[in-house]
């Protein structure tokens, strides 16, 4: 039987293929990172990319799992240029600047040292055809307003407001006899008051070199002009059947109070928040009553800061305060001398509850 098993297969017989054993695959950890919802813990995750808002949202529970998602889809196409006479600026160029006139979608022909004569001629012809004196004057005025506001460390919203006010004056062609520097000084002064960061005439004079008397005159004229422009605009909206937007309404600025000046002066002197609030409360009480009623807000603010700093143990001399307030140290001492007899009427007893303040710290008048 054993010999029979070694016999050769007969002709026509089909032999069975030998089975080859494959080596077993080794276990490997899945290192692919996959984002799942930490609330649902659903797998596979049911996530949706909302490209309109740039968020990655779980569709099951609505939890936002990511923001600022980049839209990887292809750009949509528009054929409106062919239908509207090539006047559709969608997805073309930068956004329009509301402070400038015109479409602002212009082509500039570059010209360098290595360019030929034809490029030079094209560059010159293009400059002549697109030269706009009004836009050039506006850009020069905007540049000066920006430089003046940066020199005074004024926020950007004040600079933008001053530019908008100057454009209103320029478009109406008002104040032809006034110099541009005077109008710019008045616009910056009004913009500071509208944005709740008031500056004094003396500070605007030191910034623009326009006299205080001239700033005062142009300020009153600009206020009347803007009020008249606003009334005319609102009347036209009402006659057309529209609704007046309260945010577009121009409000006449009011006189700067000593309470508003205390914040900036205390910040420049390095006083803490509590001392600033204390000086503001003192200025609010003395603005309408007491011996300092009717005096300059600078004098009132200086005297209140002088008193509050001594009450809090952060004594500042009258000379230090005069350097930031713009008034003489003698004026501050005289104002403090007038309010010292009524100190108990102005000082709140609650300030002494923590023991950090003391009436005895006040210097004698």
């Amino acid at each position: 039987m054993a010999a029979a098993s070694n016999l050769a297969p007969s002709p026509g017989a089909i032999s069975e293929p030998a089975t080859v054993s494959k080596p077993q695959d080794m276990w490997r950890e899945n290192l692919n990172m996959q984002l799942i919802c930490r609330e649902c813990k659903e797998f596979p995750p049911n996530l949706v990319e909302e490209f309109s808002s740039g968020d990655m949202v779980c569709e099951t529970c609505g939890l936002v799992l990511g923001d600022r998602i980049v839209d990887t889809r292809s750009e949509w196409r528009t054929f409106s240029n062919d239908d509207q006479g090539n006047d559709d600026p969608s997805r073309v160029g930068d956004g329009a600047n509301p402070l400038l006139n015109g479409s602002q979608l212009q082509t500039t022909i570059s010209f360098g040292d290595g360019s030929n004569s034809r490029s030079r001629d094209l560059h010159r012809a293009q400059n002549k055809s697109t030269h706009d004196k009004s836009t050039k004057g506006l850009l020069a005025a905007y540049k000066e307003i920006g430089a003046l506001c940066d020199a005074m460390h004024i926020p950007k919203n004040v600079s933008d407001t001053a530019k908008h006010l100057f454009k209103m004056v320029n478009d109406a062609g008002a104040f032809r006899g006034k110099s541009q520097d005077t109008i710019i000084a008045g616009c910056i002064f009004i913009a500071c008051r509208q944005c709740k960061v008031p500056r004094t005439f003396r500070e605007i004079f030191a910034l623009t070199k326009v006299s205080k008397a001239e700033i005062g005159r142009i300020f009153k004229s600009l206020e009347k002009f803007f009020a008249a422009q606003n009334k005319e605009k609102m009347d036209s909206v009402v006659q057309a059947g529209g609704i007046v937007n309260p945010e577009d309404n121009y409000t006449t600025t009011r006189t700067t109070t000593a309470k508003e000046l205390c914040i900036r002066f205390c910040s420049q002197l390095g006083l803490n928040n509590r001392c600033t609030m204390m000086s503001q409360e003192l200025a609010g009480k003395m603005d309408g009553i007491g011996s300092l009623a009717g005096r300059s807000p600078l004098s009132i603010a200086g005297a209140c800061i002088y008193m509050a700093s001594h009450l809090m143990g952060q004594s500042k001399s009258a000379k230090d305060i005069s350097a930031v307030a713009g008034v003489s140290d003698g004026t501050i001492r005289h104002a403090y001398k007038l309010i010292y007899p009524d100190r108990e009427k102005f000082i709140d007893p609650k300030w002494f509850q923590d023991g950090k303040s003391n009436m005895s710290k006040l210097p004698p008048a």
Side-chain angles (χ1 to χ4, degrees), residues 284-346:
K285 294 178 181 179
M286 299 178 188
D287 208 7
I289 60 175
S291 303
L292 297 183
R295 288 187 172 269
S296 169
L298 296 174
S299 304
I300 299 175
C304 293
I305 294 173
Y306 184 77
M307 177 177 283
S309 64
H310 282 82
L311 282 174
M312 290 298 299
Q314 303 179 21
S315 304
K316 296 292 181 181
S317 64
K319 189 174 182 181
D320 296 335
I321 300 175
S322 66
V324 298
V327 294
S328 64
D329 53 345
T331 303
I332 296 176
R333 291 195 190 94
H334 180 68
Y336 175 73
K337 184 178 180 180
L338 293 176
I339 64 175
Y340 183 78
D342 299 329
R343 58 190 181 279
E344 295 181 357
K345 183 171 61 176
F346 298 121

Side-chain angles (χ1 to χ4, degrees), residues 81-100:
N81 290 343
D82 301 332
D83 301 333
Q84 300 179 7
N86 199 25
D87 59 351
D88 182 19
S90 60
R91 309 294 276 253
V92 178
D94 194 7
N97 188 353
L99 297 174
L100 297 177

